[in-house]
Amino acid sequence: MTPILQASLPFAPWMDPRTWRLPGILPVEGEDWLRIDDAYAAQMAERDRLIAETPGLVEGMLESARPAAEELYDLVLDWLAGTPGFTVAAGQVTRPDGVAVPLDRGRPLLTLGRLVQEDLCLLQAEGGESLLTGAVLCFPASWTLAEKLGRPMIRIHVPVESYTEEVARRVQRLFDAIRPEQMLWRANALVYDDPALHQPRPEGVHRPAPRDGRYLRSERQVLRRLPETRAVVFSIHTYLVRIGDLAPEARAGMSGAGLWGGEEGAQ
């Protein structure tokens, strides 16, 4: 299978201490939330395939999350209506790659999964914690949605050793403080031998240690508070590039950042 790659990585998080130390959160500038890049057509074709063939694997939602999912659906459609390359009409959206996607508000997350490159997760407060209540997750990086649905943040990150209880408390305080008018973002990075975008793994099964280290996988993760339901959207834009295509200074900085075998700051 031909790897689905971007030509370049827009930001190397290991090169900036603000983004490489957990949780590495920065404010989003303006409305830079969802992105369209040079891998859009190929990534969307893969998302279409996964949603058609394995919808129960890549989407899950508690019924309690339906109002938040519908609010997110309306928000994304508003964004698409103002974004060049998309045509939003009654009953369908035509994407920049020419594919017409039927609109189905009864299946909000699966529909959005066919429109934007980002995986979209919904987190909602319950008992002082943020629980994962719904997601469309086509490009998991070594986790499985079914194991995490309905679980709190600290449980979602099992078995990530760097995600300690102290980090979990800091992240929960951050989640509690998110305002609808100020989105936040962070980025991670991991080295992979396998360029597949869809890499689900159950808890207890670790990602194979890279041997050749040909690919760099980085997720741009944005946190956004929905104004009506107050749910937090956790969006994940996946970049996959050949390490040889990285800027020379970024390649040179990988070893010191622990990207050749370490996990620090990378989740």
Side-chain angles (χ1 to χ4, degrees), residues 2-265:
T2 303
I4 298 172
L5 305 172
Q6 280 91 353
S8 62
L9 188 67
F11 178 76
W14 63 92
M15 299 297 288
D16 188 331
R18 298 176 303 165
T19 52
W20 199 235
R21 289 192 298 263
L22 285 173
I25 299 286
L26 293 174
V28 171
E29 294 185 7
E31 293 297 315
D32 184 18
W33 174 34
L34 305 173
R35 289 185 170 183
I36 304 167
D37 62 36
D38 59 322
Y40 180 86
Q43 282 199 0
M44 296 313 297
E46 177 67 356
R47 297 178 73 85
D48 288 345
R49 183 189 70 81
L50 290 164
I51 289 172
E53 296 178 2
T54 59
L57 181 63
V58 300
E59 188 263 356
M61 186 177 74
L62 305 181
E63 191 56 33
S64 60
R66 181 163 295 278
E70 292 176 351
E71 183 180 6
L72 175 60
Y73 176 89
D74 294 339
L75 183 68
V76 173
L77 285 187
D78 285 345
W79 182 86
L80 296 176
T83 301
F86 291 91
T87 301
V88 179
Q92 72 175 32
V93 172
T94 302
R95 303 185 318 212
D97 59 357
V99 174
V101 177
L103 293 177
D104 186 352
R105 201 168 189 268
R107 306 177 76 189
L109 297 179
L110 280 179
T111 302
L112 295 181
R114 296 195 59 207
L115 293 172
V116 298
Q117 283 178 264
E118 283 77 10
D119 284 319
L120 300 168
C121 303
L122 290 170
L123 295 119
Q124 295 177 274
E126 183 177 312
E129 295 183 295
S130 292
L131 275 58
L132 178 66
T133 58
V136 56
L137 182 73
C138 292
F139 301 155
S142 300
W143 62 289
T144 301
L145 176 57
E147 288 187 335
K148 310 299 186 180
L149 193 64
R151 305 295 182 88
M153 287 293 293
I154 187 66
R155 187 68 178 80
I156 290 171
H157 283 82
V158 171
V160 179
E161 294 179 2
S162 57
Y163 200 89
T164 63
E165 290 191 10
E166 173 57 29
V167 170
R169 284 192 291 269
R170 288 164 56 195
V171 170
Q172 185 58 54
R173 289 195 295 269
L174 183 147
F175 266 64
D176 293 340
I178 294 173
R179 297 168 290 130
E181 64 272 18
Q182 180 59 74
M183 294 178 283
L184 305 172
W185 75 280
R186 68 180 297 271
N188 63 15
L190 287 171
V191 173
Y192 277 75
D193 291 333
D194 182 357
L197 289 166
H198 181 71
Q199 295 205 34
R201 288 185 178 84
E203 291 180 5
V205 177
H206 292 274
R207 177 179 64 93
R211 304 175 73 178
D212 298 328
R214 289 177 292 172
Y215 301 98
L216 190 288
R217 179 169 176 151
S218 180
E219 296 175 338
R220 180 180 186 262
Q221 304 166 349
V222 175
L223 297 166
R224 179 171 190 164
R225 174 84 66 189
L226 297 178
E228 299 298 326
T229 60
R230 308 297 294 176
V232 171
V233 181
F234 182 80
S235 66
I236 306 167
H237 190 110
T238 300
Y239 294 93
L240 186 68
V241 299
R242 288 189 177 88
I243 288 177
D245 290 337
L246 293 172
E249 60 271 20
R251 291 201 306 273
M254 289 176 65
S255 179
L259 278 169
W260 294 113
E263 298 289 332
E264 181 179 352

